[in-house]
Amino acid sequence: MPPDTCFEPLPTPEEAASFEWGGQRARPRKKIAAVCKKDATYLKPPGSCNSRWEGTSVAINIECVEDSTIAILDVTSQVNISECVNCRIIVGPCVGSVFIVDSKNCTISVAAKELRLREVADSTVRSYTPEKAVVVESCKELRFGAWEVAYPGLAAQF
């Protein structure tokens, strides 16, 4: 890489594949049973997403996870999280929307332009979002609070 280039070229196929994580959702029409990833950790440390590939739209997709920790500690363009049970979810600054659907008994900390929750139950949500940027649809037993996350490099990401 030339010394005057600050950022790497586009992600390799292996790096791009790391933006998708979890198990397999049920597909009843195709007779596919759900297979959840359990007792695992998904970590995207600072410098592993948009801040590594500036100008690239990095979207993270996570589905079908149980009893796990999900920590996305870099700037992203969009995050989709679905079917999580008993998980700790941390999403660092997202310049777009974070969608969390069909999840329960999670502790969720999100900094985003918009947070959308649908069919989320018995969970704690701590958000750093603009006023009126949290959309809640068909959820129950949610508790809300202020975002409480700190890690090296966070101020520069904001």
Side-chain angles (χ1 to χ4, degrees), residues 3 25 32 42 49 51 55 67 84 86 98-99 103 108-109 112-113 118 121-122 132 134-135 141 145 148 150 153:
R25 295 175 79 180
I32 297 173
Y42 177 77
C49 296
S51 62
D67 304 315
C84 289
N86 300 324
V98 174
F99 300 91
S103 297
I108 303 163
S109 299
K113 183 176 179 181
R118 189 182 77 231
D122 192 28
K132 300 180 184 176
V134 177
V135 179
E141 299 180 38
E148 82 299 7

Side-chain angles (χ1 to χ4, degrees), residues 107-151:
T107 300
I108 303 163
S109 299
V110 174
K113 183 176 179 181
E114 179 184 53
L115 172 60
R116 299 184 69 89
L117 304 167
R118 189 182 77 231
E119 300 289 334
V120 177
D122 192 28
S123 295
T124 300
V125 179
R126 297 182 177 125
S127 68
Y128 184 83
T129 56
E131 188 176 339
K132 300 180 184 176
V134 177
V135 179
V136 178
E137 303 173 30
S138 302
C139 297
K140 61 182 180 182
E141 299 180 38
L142 294 182
R143 295 164 297 283
F144 287 89
W147 198 55
E148 82 299 7
V149 176
Y151 54 88

Side-chain angles (χ1 to χ4, degrees), residues 3-130:
D4 60 339
T5 303
C6 295
F7 299 98
E8 296 183 28
L10 295 176
T12 65
E14 295 81 21
E15 289 167 327
S18 76
F19 302 138
E20 307 259 342
W21 188 74
Q24 178 178 314
R25 295 175 79 180
R27 309 279 195 279
R29 290 184 182 177
K30 295 182 179 182
K31 297 184 177 151
I32 297 173
V35 179
C36 290
K37 184 169 279 289
K38 295 182 180 184
D39 300 315
T41 299
Y42 177 77
L43 172 65
K44 292 308 266 179
S48 63
C49 296
N50 277 19
S51 62
R52 182 171 180 185
W53 296 286
E54 188 173 277
T56 302
S57 179
V58 173
I60 305 285
N61 294 305
I62 297 172
E63 64 183 22
C64 209
V65 179
E66 288 184 24
D67 304 315
S68 298
T69 300
I70 299 162
I72 303 166
L73 307 179
D74 197 22
V75 179
T76 54
S77 297
Q78 180 174 310
V79 177
N80 295 305
I81 299 174
S82 60
E83 295 187 33
C84 289
V85 178
N86 300 324
C87 291
R88 172 69 169 118
I89 301 168
I90 302 167
V91 179
C94 180
V95 298
S97 296
V98 174
F99 300 91
I100 301 177
V101 299
D102 300 324
S103 297
K104 63 182 177 181
N105 198 29
C106 294
T107 300
I108 303 163
S109 299
V110 174
K113 183 176 179 181
E114 179 184 53
L115 172 60
R116 299 184 69 89
L117 304 167
R118 189 182 77 231
E119 300 289 334
V120 177
D122 192 28
S123 295
T124 300
V125 179
R126 297 182 177 125
S127 68
Y128 184 83
T129 56

